[in-house]
Amino acid sequence: MALIDPVLLKPRLGHLAGRFDVDALDECDSTSSELMRRADRGAPAGTVIVADRQSAGRGRRGRTWLSSPEASLTFSLLWRFPGPASRLSGLSLAVGLGLAQALEGLGVAGVRLKWPNDVLIQSADGVAKLAGILIELASDRRGTQAIIGIGLNLAAPSGDFPLPVTGINRACSSPPDRHAVLAAILGNLAGILEKFTVEGFFCLKSEWQCFHAWQGQMVQILADGAAPQIGRCLGVDDDGALLLESASGIERIHSGDVSLRPAGAANA
Ligand code: BTN
């Protein structure tokens, strides 16, 4: 039996239980790939696939996503929006905000967001990644479907990672059980996604910036095939673009990996 039991989840979702159809699997290739196949067969919005193990978990920018059954919560949520994908700018930030608010509500300390959609924990030891989000869109004449994949560390994973990683167990005095975590995230996302559908990212911008890890700090942007850009991070624009101030003015950044400016890097 899978570690998530949909029967135990239902009461925790309360009045929102009817909005979600949760299937818990022992294993699949990737919860996002499995959900995509079900979406192609007509699965409704609100379908959730959660799996203990993924044999081919996917991360952003073509990376692999590794997780372990006991220490991770890995799931994907199907949502549908009216209109084309171009109307969904800022969606990944909105999802990050939903995740951050849910975690904070569960008592997780030091939750921060890294543009575009990593969830970090800030502590005396510095910042470390707690969760990653991968959103995949597909549009047709009826609108746009989003497969929202979330990988969250319940316990800090061991092993070598390019950046420090952490888990809820290190940021919470009494860590909640996985059913409480999943229910809180789904409940929060339902509200955020509804707001986003009606008003766009604009109405969530200031809340996102309250969680922003590097607001006002010097950062470096690395994007495929481009020289690193360094500047002061002014936050995000109404559509979710990152605002980077450098000697040449304020630039809107649409993609790339952002990190704090390394010591010794040239000023902008
Ligand atoms: C990132 O690179 O930070 C995003 C990671 C997203 C991983 C999740 S785990 C559940 C879902 N299924 C996948 O294959 N990927 C996403």
Side-chain angles (χ1 to χ4, degrees):
M1 185 169 172
L3 291 168
I4 286 282
D5 179 351
V7 173
L8 295 181
L9 196 64
K10 218 168 182 172
R12 294 184 183 273
L13 283 166
H15 71 283
L16 292 171
R19 303 281 303 275
F20 297 101
D21 180 5
V22 180
D23 194 4
L25 309 176
D26 295 324
E27 181 163 356
C28 64
D29 52 353
S30 145
T31 54
S32 291
S33 304
E34 175 60 24
L35 189 53
M36 227 173 264
R37 291 188 287 268
R38 294 193 192 189
D40 288 347
R41 298 199 298 267
T47 302
V48 177
I49 306 284
V50 53
D52 295 348
R53 277 185 206 78
Q54 298 186 115
S55 55
R58 291 183 277 115
R60 285 179 61 232
R61 300 164 75 84
R63 296 178 190 128
T64 302
W65 183 262
L66 299 173
S67 53
S68 68
E70 291 292 340
S72 322
L73 184 59
T74 51
F75 65 98
S76 300
L77 163 68
L78 171 63
W79 210 257
R80 291 203 171 87
F81 299 90
S86 56
R87 288 208 2 217
L88 301 184
S89 52
L91 174 61
S92 64
L93 282 76
V95 171
L97 176 63
L99 200 45
Q101 288 176 337
L103 292 168
E104 200 171 67
L106 289 166
V108 179
V111 180
R112 297 285 178 271
L113 289 169
K114 174 167 104 87
W115 185 89
N117 52 10
D118 279 350
V119 181
L120 310 177
I121 294 292
Q122 189 152 39
S123 70
D125 300 333
V127 289
K129 181 161 170 168
L130 178 73
I133 300 163
L134 175 71
I135 299 187
E136 294 160 293
L137 302 176
S139 300
D140 64 16
R141 60 188 164 71
R142 288 165 300 176
T144 302
Q145 119 189 341
I147 305 282
I148 300 168
I150 296 179
L152 171 68
N153 300 327
L154 299 175
S158 48
D160 281 339
F161 294 91
L163 293 169
V165 288
T166 190
I168 286 186
N169 64 336
R170 289 203 186 145
C172 210
S173 48
S174 51
D177 91 291
R178 66 178 59 231
H179 292 87
V181 176
L182 181 56
I185 294 172
L186 292 177
N188 226 284
L189 281 179
I192 288 272
L193 292 172
E194 261 164 29
K195 212 166 167 187
F196 178 88
T197 304
V198 178
E199 299 177 64
F201 178 69
F202 165 73
C203 68
L204 303 169
K205 180 174 104 167
S206 57
E207 286 174 272
W208 192 92
Q209 279 178 172
C210 290
F211 282 101
H212 187 197
W214 294 322
Q215 186 78 12
Q217 298 193 56
M218 293 300 290
V219 297
Q220 168 174 277
I221 315 282
L222 292 177
D224 290 338
Q229 285 173 282
I230 288 178
R232 186 170 304 282
C233 184
L234 300 183
V236 289
D237 215 343
D238 291 351
D239 62 354
L242 189 77
L243 296 172
L244 187 75
E245 182 184 47
S246 67
S248 46
I250 297 175
E251 206 171 327
R252 285 162 41 82
I253 308 288
H254 296 281
S255 66
D257 270 338
V258 53
S259 55
L260 273 184
R261 181 186 62 160
N267 275 322

